Amino acid sequence: MSSFKVTILGSGAAVPFKGRHLTSHLVNAGKEFFLVDCGEGTQFQIIRYGIKYHKISRIFISHLHGDHFYGLFGLLSTMHLNHRAKELHIHGPRGLDEVITTCFRNSTTVLSYPTFFHETAPDKVETIYDSELIEVNSFPLKHSINCTGFVFREKKKKRKIVPEKLPLNLPYEYYEDLKNGRDVNFAEQTVLSSDCTLPPEKSKSYAFCSDTRFDLETANYCKEVNLIYHEATFLHKHLDRAEATFHTTAKEAGIIAKEARAKQLIIGHYSARYGDLDGLLEEAKAVFPNTLLAIEGKTYSVG
């Protein structure tokens, strides 16, 4: 895959605060573009950072709290007003299709493009998208309403041809077998894949853990991902508040990343009570050193 990266569009929790927008990430996997959650103001962030929203083919919504999907109405409408024709797929919990279609029905809006809704399961792991290059799985999270996380995993990559090690005049039609690790017969000889290819690069993965109470099972769903985003709404000294609202502290987010054996952690979904985010970062890093803050407009490479 030529690229695998994540751009943070919104990092705040519940309400906009001091320049923080509500949760939304753009995932670019090769030639595919996915929007993960779509809080209020997402389309303004898309415009601000020069993202071509017509390239977005799928939108994944974790749950039906407003700070994670209220921006969807405006974005879909803008796509319509700009004459989008390409179909759009929206993955989310039961009820999302009803909310969206009711809104547009009562405003007599008929979208200019085909829209397909795919209901996510609230209580199990499932593959919700599968293409040639990437697979997307959803998994349950422990929030006050049905909520899912998402894992984006590259498919197993092919071996790399070393041209100078190929037999002279080997037809191109044999290359695919060699890249897939299969030996081929050519000119009365066996050409070994291992002799003329290099091992494939390790596939990369990104996990998005939306609103959730601390739950070690989350780590099992995200084992050994290259990059994990996990909400860290509160400092640990406000654990009571975190538990009461089904959220996670920065320390707990670090524990999840550590238990998952992730390579890197990004924390976000910051409560408006914290103007300074250094404390959240320090708390997570004390448990999981390779932690970064979710900074709006910043793009993070996966792996």
Side-chain angles (χ1 to χ4, degrees):
M1 193 182 293
S2 58
S3 65
F4 194 2
K5 53 192 178 182
V6 178
T7 300
I8 306 297
L9 301 177
S11 64
V15 294
F17 174 74
K18 292 186 178 178
R20 295 179 203 156
H21 297 76
L22 301 175
T23 301
S24 186
H25 293 188
L26 182 79
V27 178
N28 173 206
K31 295 182 180 180
E32 298 190 81
F33 291 82
F34 309 116
L35 190 67
V36 186
D37 277 352
C38 188
E40 182 184 353
T42 293
Q43 68 169 321
F44 291 100
Q45 291 292 85
I46 287 173
I47 294 168
R48 178 181 182 182
Y49 298 120
I51 295 166
K52 297 179 180 179
Y53 54 78
H54 65 272
K55 290 186 175 182
I56 297 170
S57 59
R58 290 179 184 265
I59 299 175
F60 300 89
I61 301 297
S62 63
H63 65 296
L64 295 185
H65 278 156
D67 56 325
H68 292 261
F69 88 104
Y70 279 176
L72 196 52
F73 306 96
L75 178 61
L76 298 183
S77 179
T78 297
M79 289 177 173
H80 163 71
L81 293 172
N82 284 326
H83 310 293
R84 178 186 176 113
K86 178 183 175 182
E87 66 183 37
L88 180 68
H89 294 261
I90 303 174
H91 302 258
R94 175 175 295 180
L96 178 61
D97 58 342
E98 179 183 356
V99 173
I100 298 298
T101 54
T102 298
C103 172
F104 288 131
R105 182 175 65 249
N106 285 290
S107 64
T108 64
T109 300
V110 180
L111 296 178
S112 63
Y113 51 92
T115 306
F116 301 93
F117 291 94
H118 307 272
E119 186 177 311
T120 50
D123 56 358
K124 65 179 181 179
V125 178
E126 63 174 352
T127 299
I128 58 176
Y129 178 60
D130 192 354
S131 70
E132 181 182 355
L133 295 178
I134 198 161
E135 177 180 289
V136 184
N137 290 328
S138 66
F139 58 88
L141 293 170
K142 289 192 174 179
H143 197 38
S144 54
I145 62 173
N146 289 339
C147 185
T148 60
F150 304 104
V151 179
F152 299 77
R153 295 186 186 275
E154 287 182 329
K155 293 291 187 65
K156 183 179 179 180
K157 296 183 178 182
K158 297 181 181 181
R159 300 179 67 87
K160 290 189 174 183
I161 296 285
V162 182
E164 58 269 24
K165 293 189 177 181
L166 293 173
L168 191 63
N169 298 322
L170 178 73
Y172 187 76
E173 64 193 67
Y174 290 105
Y175 284 27
E176 198 66 18
D177 280 331
L178 293 172
K179 288 192 288 185
N180 285 316
R182 294 190 291 267
D183 303 333
V184 299
N185 294 314
F186 170 69
E188 299 184 352
Q189 64 173 315
T190 299
V191 181
L192 301 178
S193 172
S194 58
D195 286 346
C196 53
T197 64
L198 296 174
E201 293 180 4
K202 189 174 181 180
S203 298
K204 303 179 183 70
S205 52
Y206 167 65
F208 174 88
C209 301
S210 184
D211 294 11
T212 182
R213 238 178 171 180
F214 176 68
D215 180 16
L216 284 176
E217 190 66 19
T218 302
N220 292 329
Y221 302 137
C222 307
K223 283 295 184 187
E224 298 181 352
V225 295
N226 293 87
L227 181 63
I228 181 172
Y229 164 84
H230 198 289
E231 71 125 293
T233 308
F234 297 102
L235 287 169
H236 206 68
K237 66 182 180 181
H238 297 129
L239 177 61
D240 289 349
R241 180 63 179 161
E243 292 181 340
T245 56
F246 287 82
H247 284 296
T248 308
T249 69
K251 177 181 178 180
E252 291 173 328
I255 293 172
I256 294 297
K258 182 178 180 180
E259 290 295 318
R261 299 194 295 276
K263 303 297 188 297
Q264 191 170 53
L265 167 66
I266 297 175
I267 57 171
H269 200 261
Y270 316 120
S271 168
R273 71 174 60 202
Y274 308 118
D276 187 341
L277 302 176
D278 288 346
L280 291 164
L281 180 61
E282 290 170 6
E283 187 170 278
K285 290 183 74 170
V287 180
F288 189 81
N290 197 11
T291 299
L292 301 171
L293 290 172
I295 303 297
E296 295 182 13
K298 184 171 182 177
T299 297
Y300 303 79
S301 294
V302 179

